[in-house]
Amino acid sequence: MAIITVHDKTFEPYISAAAIDGQIKKLAAQINTDYAGKKPLLIPILNGSFMFASDLFKAITIEAEICFIKLASYKGTKSTGNVITSIGLDEPLEGRHVIVVEDIVDTGKTLAEFLPQLANQQPASLKIAALLHKPEALAHPLTIDYLGFNVPNKFLLGYGLDYDGLGRNIPEIYTLQE
Ligand code: IMP
Ligand code: MG
């Protein structure tokens, strides 16, 4: 791993592929224990979480299902500000054990707005799995049940995370050079 340039910025290595893999195996082992016999439904949020979700799902060995969604935000017709809605959630959640899968929880705004909509559908349980979390940036209280790494409040790239569309295919995680 070395310094890389994406668009106009330079990034340096931060988390190796081996370290990511090791953490994901631990999270999967925990999920295998906690959800044995419960057939959990993983709901990864596109685009960023596709790589984490794929590696996590491969390491889950109990019966489990997965349904990818995309979040779209639009201005509400009333003065409610932005409304976040999901596209592609074609599974009924009632009675299901749901695990929302995120690449990174930054301010927590996305999940704080979206989780109540899932909770409305009365799942049997609702938990969060996130590869990365920036505790310093968290502005909306959230509990991350399955967390890979706490990271400083700096811009990250790679392993699904993009900078203006590029960098998602990098197998490691890089950080913006100061
Ligand atoms: P939140 O609503 O502020 O928690 O934002 C979460 C979303 O912002 C993530 O799912 C990412 O798509 C994006 N994001 C947050 N931090 C970074 C970063 O460091 N690099 C790339 N994308 C990020
Ligand atoms: Mg995301």
Side-chain angles (χ1 to χ4, degrees), residues 114-142:
F114 179 57
L115 286 178
Q117 294 182 34
L118 296 182
N120 273 345
Q121 291 195 41
Q122 325 243 304
S125 66
L126 181 57
K127 303 258 165 144
I128 302 170
L131 181 65
L132 304 160
H133 174 39
K134 296 178 183 169
E136 292 161 42
L138 193 69
H140 304 261
L142 275 182

Short mmCIF file of all heavy atoms in Angstrom, two decimals, residues 114-142:
data_model
loop_
_atom_site.label_atom_id
_atom_site.label_comp_id
_atom_site.label_asym_id
_atom_site.label_seq_id
_atom_site.Cartn_x
_atom_site.Cartn_y
_atom_site.Cartn_z
N PHE A 114 -33.87 6.91 9.28
CA PHE A 114 -34.38 5.72 8.58
C PHE A 114 -34.84 4.60 9.52
O PHE A 114 -35.84 3.92 9.23
CB PHE A 114 -33.31 5.22 7.61
CG PHE A 114 -33.70 4.00 6.86
CD1 PHE A 114 -34.85 4.00 6.08
CD2 PHE A 114 -32.95 2.84 6.92
CE1 PHE A 114 -35.24 2.86 5.38
CE2 PHE A 114 -33.33 1.71 6.23
CZ PHE A 114 -34.47 1.72 5.47
N LEU A 115 -34.16 4.41 10.64
CA LEU A 115 -34.50 3.28 11.54
C LEU A 115 -35.95 3.31 12.03
O LEU A 115 -36.58 2.24 12.08
CB LEU A 115 -33.53 3.23 12.73
CG LEU A 115 -32.13 2.72 12.41
CD1 LEU A 115 -31.27 2.76 13.67
CD2 LEU A 115 -32.16 1.30 11.85
N PRO A 116 -36.50 4.47 12.39
CA PRO A 116 -37.89 4.48 12.84
C PRO A 116 -38.85 3.93 11.79
O PRO A 116 -39.85 3.29 12.13
CB PRO A 116 -38.17 5.96 13.12
CG PRO A 116 -36.83 6.54 13.42
CD PRO A 116 -35.87 5.80 12.55
N GLN A 117 -38.53 4.13 10.50
CA GLN A 117 -39.39 3.59 9.45
C GLN A 117 -39.38 2.07 9.45
O GLN A 117 -40.39 1.41 9.20
CB GLN A 117 -38.93 4.08 8.07
CG GLN A 117 -39.09 5.56 7.88
CD GLN A 117 -38.65 5.98 6.48
OE1 GLN A 117 -38.82 5.24 5.53
NE2 GLN A 117 -38.08 7.15 6.38
N LEU A 118 -38.20 1.50 9.72
CA LEU A 118 -38.12 0.04 9.81
C LEU A 118 -38.83 -0.45 11.06
O LEU A 118 -39.55 -1.45 11.04
CB LEU A 118 -36.65 -0.41 9.84
CG LEU A 118 -35.83 -0.11 8.58
CD1 LEU A 118 -34.41 -0.66 8.76
CD2 LEU A 118 -36.47 -0.73 7.35
N ALA A 119 -38.63 0.28 12.17
CA ALA A 119 -39.25 -0.10 13.43
C ALA A 119 -40.78 -0.11 13.32
O ALA A 119 -41.45 -0.94 13.94
CB ALA A 119 -38.81 0.85 14.54
N ASN A 120 -41.32 0.80 12.50
CA ASN A 120 -42.77 0.86 12.26
C ASN A 120 -43.34 -0.45 11.75
O ASN A 120 -44.51 -0.75 11.95
CB ASN A 120 -43.09 1.92 11.19
CG ASN A 120 -43.27 3.27 11.82
OD1 ASN A 120 -43.43 3.36 13.04
ND2 ASN A 120 -43.22 4.31 11.01
N GLN A 121 -42.50 -1.21 11.04
CA GLN A 121 -42.97 -2.48 10.46
C GLN A 121 -42.92 -3.62 11.46
O GLN A 121 -43.11 -4.77 11.08
CB GLN A 121 -42.14 -2.82 9.23
CG GLN A 121 -42.36 -1.88 8.06
CD GLN A 121 -41.79 -2.48 6.78
OE1 GLN A 121 -41.94 -3.66 6.51
NE2 GLN A 121 -41.13 -1.66 5.99
N GLN A 122 -42.64 -3.32 12.72
CA GLN A 122 -42.65 -4.29 13.80
C GLN A 122 -41.77 -5.52 13.59
O GLN A 122 -42.25 -6.65 13.68
CB GLN A 122 -44.08 -4.77 14.05
CG GLN A 122 -45.11 -3.69 13.84
CD GLN A 122 -45.88 -3.37 15.10
OE1 GLN A 122 -46.48 -4.23 15.69
NE2 GLN A 122 -45.80 -2.13 15.53
N PRO A 123 -40.48 -5.30 13.32
CA PRO A 123 -39.57 -6.45 13.30
C PRO A 123 -39.45 -7.03 14.72
O PRO A 123 -39.69 -6.31 15.69
CB PRO A 123 -38.24 -5.85 12.85
CG PRO A 123 -38.31 -4.40 13.18
CD PRO A 123 -39.77 -4.02 13.10
N ALA A 124 -39.07 -8.31 14.82
CA ALA A 124 -38.88 -8.93 16.14
C ALA A 124 -37.71 -8.28 16.85
O ALA A 124 -37.70 -8.15 18.08
CB ALA A 124 -38.65 -10.43 15.98
N SER A 125 -36.68 -7.88 16.08
CA SER A 125 -35.55 -7.13 16.64
C SER A 125 -34.92 -6.32 15.52
O SER A 125 -35.10 -6.63 14.34
CB SER A 125 -34.51 -8.08 17.27
OG SER A 125 -33.92 -8.89 16.27
N LEU A 126 -34.20 -5.26 15.91
CA LEU A 126 -33.61 -4.35 14.93
C LEU A 126 -32.24 -3.91 15.44
O LEU A 126 -32.15 -3.23 16.46
CB LEU A 126 -34.55 -3.14 14.75
CG LEU A 126 -34.16 -2.04 13.76
CD1 LEU A 126 -33.96 -2.61 12.35
CD2 LEU A 126 -35.25 -0.97 13.72
N LYS A 127 -31.18 -4.34 14.76
CA LYS A 127 -29.82 -4.01 15.20
C LYS A 127 -29.04 -3.39 14.05
O LYS A 127 -29.45 -3.47 12.89
CB LYS A 127 -29.10 -5.28 15.68
CG LYS A 127 -29.84 -6.01 16.79
CD LYS A 127 -29.22 -5.73 18.13
CE LYS A 127 -30.15 -6.15 19.24
NZ LYS A 127 -29.54 -6.68 20.39
N ILE A 128 -27.89 -2.81 14.41
CA ILE A 128 -27.05 -2.15 13.40
C ILE A 128 -25.68 -2.81 13.36
O ILE A 128 -25.05 -3.02 14.41
CB ILE A 128 -26.83 -0.66 13.75
CG1 ILE A 128 -28.17 0.07 13.86
CG2 ILE A 128 -25.93 0.02 12.72
CD1 ILE A 128 -28.04 1.47 14.43
N ALA A 129 -25.23 -3.12 12.15
CA ALA A 129 -23.84 -3.54 11.93
C ALA A 129 -23.17 -2.49 11.06
O ALA A 129 -23.69 -2.15 9.99
CB ALA A 129 -23.78 -4.91 11.25
N ALA A 130 -22.05 -1.94 11.52
CA ALA A 130 -21.32 -0.94 10.72
C ALA A 130 -19.84 -1.28 10.75
O ALA A 130 -19.31 -1.64 11.80
CB ALA A 130 -21.55 0.46 11.28
N LEU A 131 -19.20 -1.18 9.60
CA LEU A 131 -17.76 -1.44 9.57
C LEU A 131 -17.00 -0.34 10.29
O LEU A 131 -16.06 -0.61 11.03
CB LEU A 131 -17.27 -1.56 8.13
CG LEU A 131 -15.77 -1.86 8.01
CD1 LEU A 131 -15.44 -3.23 8.59
CD2 LEU A 131 -15.29 -1.76 6.57
N LEU A 132 -17.41 0.91 10.07
CA LEU A 132 -16.67 2.06 10.59
C LEU A 132 -17.61 3.01 11.33
O LEU A 132 -18.78 3.13 10.98
CB LEU A 132 -16.01 2.82 9.44
CG LEU A 132 -15.07 2.01 8.54
CD1 LEU A 132 -14.87 2.70 7.21
CD2 LEU A 132 -13.73 1.79 9.24
N HIS A 133 -17.05 3.69 12.31
CA HIS A 133 -17.84 4.68 13.05
C HIS A 133 -16.94 5.83 13.47
O HIS A 133 -15.83 5.61 13.95
CB HIS A 133 -18.47 4.01 14.28
CG HIS A 133 -19.20 4.97 15.18
ND1 HIS A 133 -19.96 6.01 14.70
CD2 HIS A 133 -19.28 5.02 16.53
CE1 HIS A 133 -20.47 6.67 15.73
NE2 HIS A 133 -20.07 6.11 16.85
N LYS A 134 -17.41 7.06 13.25
CA LYS A 134 -16.66 8.26 13.68
C LYS A 134 -17.37 8.81 14.91
O LYS A 134 -18.26 9.66 14.78
CB LYS A 134 -16.67 9.31 12.57
CG LYS A 134 -15.95 8.91 11.29
CD LYS A 134 -16.06 10.02 10.25
CE LYS A 134 -15.42 9.63 8.94
NZ LYS A 134 -15.73 10.58 7.86
N PRO A 135 -16.98 8.38 16.12
CA PRO A 135 -17.69 8.81 17.33
C PRO A 135 -17.71 10.32 17.50
O PRO A 135 -18.70 10.88 17.98
CB PRO A 135 -16.91 8.15 18.47
CG PRO A 135 -16.06 7.11 17.85
CD PRO A 135 -15.86 7.49 16.42
N GLU A 136 -16.64 11.00 17.08
CA GLU A 136 -16.57 12.46 17.26
C GLU A 136 -17.60 13.20 16.41
O GLU A 136 -17.95 14.35 16.69
CB GLU A 136 -15.19 13.00 16.86
CG GLU A 136 -14.07 12.57 17.77
CD GLU A 136 -12.72 12.73 17.06
OE1 GLU A 136 -12.50 13.75 16.38
OE2 GLU A 136 -11.88 11.81 17.19
N ALA A 137 -18.05 12.55 15.32
CA ALA A 137 -18.97 13.22 14.40
C ALA A 137 -20.43 12.92 14.73
O ALA A 137 -21.33 13.55 14.20
CB ALA A 137 -18.68 12.79 12.96
N LEU A 138 -20.65 11.95 15.63
CA LEU A 138 -22.02 11.49 15.89
C LEU A 138 -22.87 12.60 16.51
O LEU A 138 -22.57 13.11 17.57
CB LEU A 138 -22.00 10.27 16.82
CG LEU A 138 -23.33 9.51 16.92
CD1 LEU A 138 -23.65 8.81 15.60
CD2 LEU A 138 -23.28 8.47 18.04
N ALA A 139 -23.94 12.97 15.81
CA ALA A 139 -24.82 14.05 16.28
C ALA A 139 -26.20 13.51 16.65
O ALA A 139 -27.00 14.22 17.23
CB ALA A 139 -24.95 15.11 15.19
N HIS A 140 -26.47 12.26 16.28
CA HIS A 140 -27.76 11.65 16.58
C HIS A 140 -27.47 10.38 17.37
O HIS A 140 -26.76 9.51 16.88
CB HIS A 140 -28.51 11.31 15.29
CG HIS A 140 -28.70 12.50 14.40
ND1 HIS A 140 -29.88 13.20 14.37
CD2 HIS A 140 -27.86 13.13 13.55
CE1 HIS A 140 -29.75 14.20 13.51
NE2 HIS A 140 -28.53 14.18 13.00
N PRO A 141 -28.00 10.27 18.59
CA PRO A 141 -27.67 9.12 19.42
C PRO A 141 -28.06 7.80 18.75
O PRO A 141 -29.18 7.64 18.28
CB PRO A 141 -28.48 9.34 20.70
CG PRO A 141 -29.45 10.43 20.41
CD PRO A 141 -28.94 11.20 19.24
N LEU A 142 -27.11 6.89 18.70
CA LEU A 142 -27.31 5.59 18.06
C LEU A 142 -26.46 4.56 18.79
O LEU A 142 -25.36 4.88 19.23
CB LEU A 142 -26.77 5.62 16.63
CG LEU A 142 -27.61 6.12 15.47
CD1 LEU A 142 -26.77 5.96 14.21
CD2 LEU A 142 -28.90 5.34 15.34
#
